[in-house]
Amino acid sequence: MQEARNLKAYKKEVDDALQNAFLRSAMDKFAVAYRSGRANAFADMDVEGLIAEIATAKDAALARMDALFEEFKENASKAGVHVHLAKTAGEANAIIACIARDNDVKKIVKSKSMTAEETLLNHDLEAEGFEVTETDLGEWIIQLRGEGPSHMVMPAIHLSRYQVADLFTEVTGHKQESEIERLVKVARRELRQKYVAADMGISGANFALADTGTIGLTTNEGNARLVTTLPRVHVALVGLDKLLPTLHDALLINRVLPRNATGQGITSYVTWITGRNACGAALDNKKVMHIVFLDNGRRALAKDPVFSQVLRCVRCGACANVCPVYRMVGGHRYGHIYIGAIGLIVTYFFHGRDKAKNLVQNCINCGACKAVCAAGIDLPHLIKEIHAVIQDEEGHPLTSLLLGKLLRNRKLFHTLLRSAQVAQRPVTDDTQYLRHLPFIFAREHNFRALPAIAERPFRDRWEQIKPTVASPRSRVALFSGCLQDFVYPEQMEAALTLLSDTDVAVDFPMEQSCCGLPVVMMGEKQAARDVARQNINAFMNGNYEAIVTLCASCASHLKAGYMKLFADDPGMAERARQFADKVYPFSAYANDVLKMSEDSFEPCGTGATYHAPCHLCRGLGVREAPHALIKSGGMTFFPAEEEETCCGFGGTYSGKFPHISAEILARKLDDFEKTGAEVLVTECPGCIMQLRGGAKKRGNRMTVKHLVEALAENKR
């Protein structure tokens, strides 16, 4: 749970988590195993089509939430079930405590329920004198330790078997061995007596079917069946977002849920409960059954045009499974109660701004969570939206306000960069790198060598180097972004050579500026709109067939981000769409449009591996084109195991969370070294700054190049 009062305190907690060697090892192993397990589970399935179906079904159910509740209540009541609606978490806990008192309950057993975690149900019940025992193995372990879950599906993933053995030794009063099978037997023995003695069982539900008043549970341990059958009273605590019209909708979701969560085709137990079932411990041999539906802001959220999609979440936990930040620090520092990307968003709605304001800044915006979401939720976008909302409510930090003002004024921004080029000279020694960081940077940013600003930006070279093509096959404009204009102009020149040699007429509109993604990441939406409008105006009067950029992050933001920024502005939205339709990342344009082939390049035999920029492979879905160009460009391709894992840059993220950035970078460089390649190729200047700077800092023999540089060197 998050208790940090400010970002500084939160960063200290995060840095402490980075020192946990076992946590880091466990997260690494799980992340690698999950990737292959999920791929195998979804083999030969139309995953995108299935996810789109789920999104449609969930959206339709959310639009009818109140009607579905009334239908469920009517049908469940006919089957002898008492149905309640709690407006708040506190009200839900009070209803359940009242049910327990009315039925003379003393002992309670629970199966795993994130909704019960959301309401802090155990705390309230224990405060009223009830004995509450979690029966899911992971939940029981963390209950004994007095912790919250570190993952929505695997709550004790942060603990080693040795820690669990020590815990069980303390609980049982007998020395316990660390073999997992023995530990499971200890838990089974200790918990079995709890089931028998319990007066009440409390469960959650994965599904609530309105047409029959049925709840459905998917589990792997079988404890939920014992919780819902043995005690004489059963209470299910269910979020309103779990309401579905029919069994068909639930089975649709259940095709994805276990595959996305743990790589299983189906969980060990899928349980459907309709009405009161037989129970020998009850006075009339029929169980007392209550279902408490929790609102806690869900009804209002379902009507929100921007954020309603978060209620599609099926609680699979996949967004944490693939998150590079979660992989570094674990769930206790990457969530409040709900973990992972979805937790960064719903914490604001369920637990308040104070719990969410630090968390939402710890998103690297790699898009891995969106790519695996079982319900098609645009998680990175919504995290940025929440960040902007919080800043609008609390006030914008001076740093982000200043950056917003600076990027709005292109001439001022570029003048500042030119001035910085002069000011850096004492710390460059006429090299391409800063010899040491200026005093304004903290020592914690020294994990990579930072590049110097180029002596002459690309825009100042343009008039002297712009090519003339007599009979052009097409006319394109280059978008440079900040880094390739002012730090890596040689990359732009390499692209210019490749394009003009294929009879493409190239232009460079001088009114272009930063794409604006940095201010989006900092929550400055209005500044981002102003920058976007400026760039659209700079390019839309040129009658270009394509706008080509060498920066994957810029390409993704220009192509998708601009349309989101102007979604509520019909006039600009259409201009943004027309602009976006022309945007290409270099590899896609060179391979798919220009059809660059091996005939254009000299074979060099150099072994090259590839880092897939997050915004290219996931943001734009461009995966094959860079591979094809590396192979046709005369190089021998050495695939990396974690090609698509984030490099840790994330633009302003690496400045805000440098220790996490450094650790992610170290993992990436280790992975690339294992390939034995001589050259590491990528297609984003931010990734180059991160990877090249990190390689230089550790003395790595591998050369880091932009794809266009590697191709231009081998041009016939």
Side-chain angles (χ1 to χ4, degrees):
M1 295 177 65
Q2 288 306 310
E3 302 297 341
R5 293 176 177 238
N6 53 47
L7 186 61
K8 182 178 180 180
Y10 174 63
K11 288 168 70 175
K12 174 65 168 60
E13 292 179 355
V14 165
D15 290 346
D16 289 344
L18 286 171
Q19 306 308 311
N20 186 330
F22 171 78
L23 175 67
R24 299 281 304 286
S25 175
M27 294 294 102
D28 269 345
K29 290 176 182 176
F30 174 69
V32 173
Y34 172 78
R35 186 164 56 241
S36 58
R38 181 182 186 272
N40 291 336
F42 279 113
D44 301 321
M45 293 180 68
D46 178 11
V47 183
E48 290 186 7
L50 189 54
I51 289 172
E53 276 191 80
I54 290 171
T56 300
K58 286 288 285 184
D59 285 346
L62 293 172
R64 298 179 54 221
M65 182 181 283
D66 290 341
L68 290 177
F69 170 74
E70 293 300 333
E71 184 181 354
F72 183 98
K73 182 176 181 180
E74 179 182 353
N75 290 320
S77 298
K78 290 176 182 177
V81 178
H82 305 281
V83 179
H84 311 262
L85 176 59
K87 292 182 179 178
T88 66
E91 186 176 326
N93 293 351
I95 290 170
I96 295 171
C98 182
I99 294 168
R101 287 192 300 269
D102 289 348
N103 288 276
D104 196 25
V105 167
K106 299 292 188 295
K107 297 181 178 181
I108 300 171
V109 287
K110 281 181 75 264
S111 62
K112 191 163 76 66
S113 166
M114 282 307 302
T115 310
E117 295 284 353
E118 175 186 333
T119 69
L120 299 177
L121 177 60
N122 288 8
H123 297 260
D124 284 4
L125 292 178
E126 289 168 347
E128 294 210 24
F130 299 104
E131 178 188 308
V132 184
T133 303
E134 294 285 354
T135 62
D136 173 88
L137 177 57
E139 287 284 345
W140 187 52
I141 290 169
I142 64 171
Q143 182 187 31
L144 293 174
R145 287 174 57 92
E147 298 175 340
S150 61
H151 190 282
M152 286 197 287
V153 176
M154 298 158 286
I157 191 175
H158 60 292
L159 299 173
S160 72
R161 57 193 174 101
Y162 304 104
Q163 290 172 293
V164 175
D166 290 343
L167 176 67
F168 284 6
T169 296
E170 181 182 342
V171 168
T172 63
H174 300 285
K175 175 66 177 175
Q176 303 296 339
E177 301 301 322
S178 60
E179 286 83 0
I180 293 174
E181 294 80 4
R182 289 178 178 268
L183 294 174
V184 171
K185 287 180 179 179
V186 171
R188 188 175 293 145
R189 183 181 66 241
E190 294 294 318
L191 290 172
R192 190 164 291 163
Q193 57 190 316
K194 299 290 186 181
Y195 293 121
V196 175
D199 307 299
M200 175 189 280
I202 298 177
S203 73
N206 296 93
F207 317 106
L209 312 182
D211 64 339
T212 57
T214 300
I215 61 170
L217 298 90
T218 61
T219 62
N220 274 320
E221 296 178 20
N223 61 306
R225 287 193 174 174
L226 293 171
V227 164
T228 57
T229 55
L230 289 181
R232 55 189 169 83
V233 181
H234 172 209
V235 177
L237 177 60
V238 188
L240 282 170
D241 51 305
K242 299 299 175 68
L243 282 162
L244 295 167
T246 67
L247 179 63
H248 170 80
D249 302 286
L251 294 179
L252 178 68
I253 293 169
N254 208 43
R255 291 186 66 196
V256 170
L257 176 54
R259 288 179 168 87
N260 228 37
T262 56
Q264 297 170 266
I266 192 169
T267 51
S268 302
Y269 302 90
V270 180
T271 305
W272 305 99
I273 302 173
T274 306
R276 302 167 64 203
N277 54 39
C279 180
L283 292 177
D284 60 354
N285 291 321
K286 279 282 192 176
K287 184 181 296 295
V288 174
M289 185 173 179
H290 294 257
I291 300 177
V292 180
F293 280 94
L294 177 66
D295 180 352
N296 203 29
R298 287 166 171 79
R299 294 165 85 183
L301 191 52
K303 297 179 176 65
D304 190 292
V306 175
F307 294 106
S308 62
Q309 61 178 293
V310 301
L311 294 179
R312 296 178 193 163
C313 177
V314 300
R315 306 290 189 261
C316 65
C319 57
N321 298 349
V322 298
C323 175
V325 179
Y326 175 86
R327 182 174 174 178
M328 292 295 115
V329 302
H332 287 154
R333 295 296 169 260
Y334 204 62
H336 175 59
I337 287 174
Y338 288 102
I339 306 302
I342 191 68
L344 269 60
I345 303 165
V346 299
T347 294
Y348 173 83
F349 294 103
F350 294 163
H351 299 106
R353 185 173 65 219
D354 286 348
K355 305 298 184 186
K357 64 181 181 182
N358 300 316
L359 288 172
V360 295
Q361 299 182 65
N362 199 5
C363 171
I364 204 165
N365 196 38
C366 69
C369 53
K370 178 184 178 182
V372 301
C373 179
I377 305 170
D378 192 349
L379 293 159
H381 172 64
L382 296 183
I383 291 169
K384 293 192 287 285
E385 288 290 318
I386 286 289
H387 186 197
V389 167
I390 291 173
Q391 290 199 161
D392 287 344
E393 292 173 347
E394 286 205 334
H396 293 234
L398 181 60
T399 51
S400 63
L401 284 172
L402 289 176
L403 181 62
K405 289 182 179 297
L406 184 63
L407 292 191
R408 278 177 167 134
N409 189 326
R410 181 190 64 79
K411 291 183 178 179
L412 177 62
F413 176 48
H414 290 170
T415 298
L416 183 64
L417 289 173
R418 295 176 196 279
S419 300
Q421 192 281 324
V422 176
Q424 74 184 357
R425 289 175 184 170
V427 293
T428 61
D429 290 339
D430 295 324
T431 69
Q432 291 182 319
Y433 295 92
L434 302 179
R435 177 168 37 86
H436 60 79
L437 293 179
F439 69 90
I440 59 171
F441 292 101
R443 188 175 300 173
E444 61 190 2
H445 295 274
N446 210 27
F447 62 90
R448 66 190 169 202
L450 288 175
I453 296 173
E455 185 174 350
R456 290 183 69 209
F458 179 76
R459 63 179 52 245
D460 288 0
R461 309 179 188 195
W462 174 246
E463 286 300 322
Q464 286 73 43
I465 64 174
K466 65 180 180 181
T468 300
V469 179
S471 302
R473 59 192 288 193
S474 60
R475 176 174 160 78
V476 308
L478 284 177
F479 182 89
S480 65
C482 316
L483 283 175
Q484 284 166 328
D485 194 350
F486 284 87
V487 178
Y488 300 122
E490 66 276 8
Q491 295 172 12
M492 296 291 290
E493 292 188 12
L496 195 61
T497 298
L498 291 169
L499 291 172
S500 59
D501 282 357
T502 52
D503 295 325
V504 174
V506 183
D507 194 14
F508 182 80
M510 287 293 174
E511 296 302 308
Q512 65 178 287
S513 187
C514 172
C515 69
L517 184 57
V519 281
V520 172
M521 290 293 293
M522 297 184 78
E524 298 295 328
K525 286 187 67 175
Q526 187 52 53
R529 290 190 188 98
D530 291 344
V531 172
R533 187 177 288 105
Q534 178 176 293
N535 281 324
I536 290 172
N537 290 339
F539 282 84
M540 289 304 286
N541 295 326
N543 194 30
Y544 308 115
E545 294 168 55
I547 299 168
V548 177
T549 178
L550 282 59
C551 175
S553 298
C554 290
S556 179
H557 188 50
L558 297 174
K559 200 162 185 67
Y562 279 17
M563 288 195 289
K564 290 176 181 175
L565 286 172
F566 295 114
D568 57 354
D569 183 341
M572 278 305 298
E574 177 56 23
R575 296 196 73 208
R577 185 196 62 75
Q578 294 173 2
F579 175 83
D581 286 347
K582 296 183 177 183
V583 173
Y584 288 85
F586 176 84
S587 61
Y589 190 74
N591 187 73
D592 302 341
V593 179
L594 298 182
K595 309 292 184 183
M596 285 188 184
S597 68
E598 58 188 15
D599 295 338
S600 302
F601 302 97
E602 294 283 354
C604 66
T606 301
T609 190
Y610 173 65
H611 164 64
C614 299
H615 293 131
L616 188 68
C617 65
R618 286 183 290 275
L620 296 173
V622 176
R623 289 183 164 88
E624 296 305 318
H627 292 175
L629 288 171
I630 290 171
K631 294 170 185 175
S632 62
M635 294 165 275
T636 303
F637 181 45
F638 292 7
E641 184 179 355
E642 299 205 47
E643 176 183 294
E644 292 192 3
T645 301
C646 180
C647 70
F649 179 59
T652 55
Y653 180 88
S654 62
K656 188 174 287 187
F657 292 96
H659 291 158
I660 297 177
S661 179
E663 292 296 337
I664 296 174
L665 171 61
R667 290 287 191 278
K668 286 292 290 188
L669 291 175
D670 289 345
D671 185 54
F672 291 132
E673 286 177 4
K674 287 190 296 185
T675 68
E678 303 159 72
V679 177
L680 168 57
V681 175
T682 188
E683 197 177 345
C684 179
C687 297
I688 285 175
M689 178 160 51
Q690 178 87 338
L691 295 166
R692 185 184 287 176
K696 181 175 177 59
K697 198 71 178 181
R698 65 159 57 179
N700 195 310
R701 66 172 182 81
M702 185 180 295
T703 303
V704 181
K705 297 179 181 179
H706 193 287
L707 176 62
V708 294
E709 294 176 292
L711 292 175
E713 288 175 6
N714 297 336
K715 193 85 175 69
R716 286 190 190 275

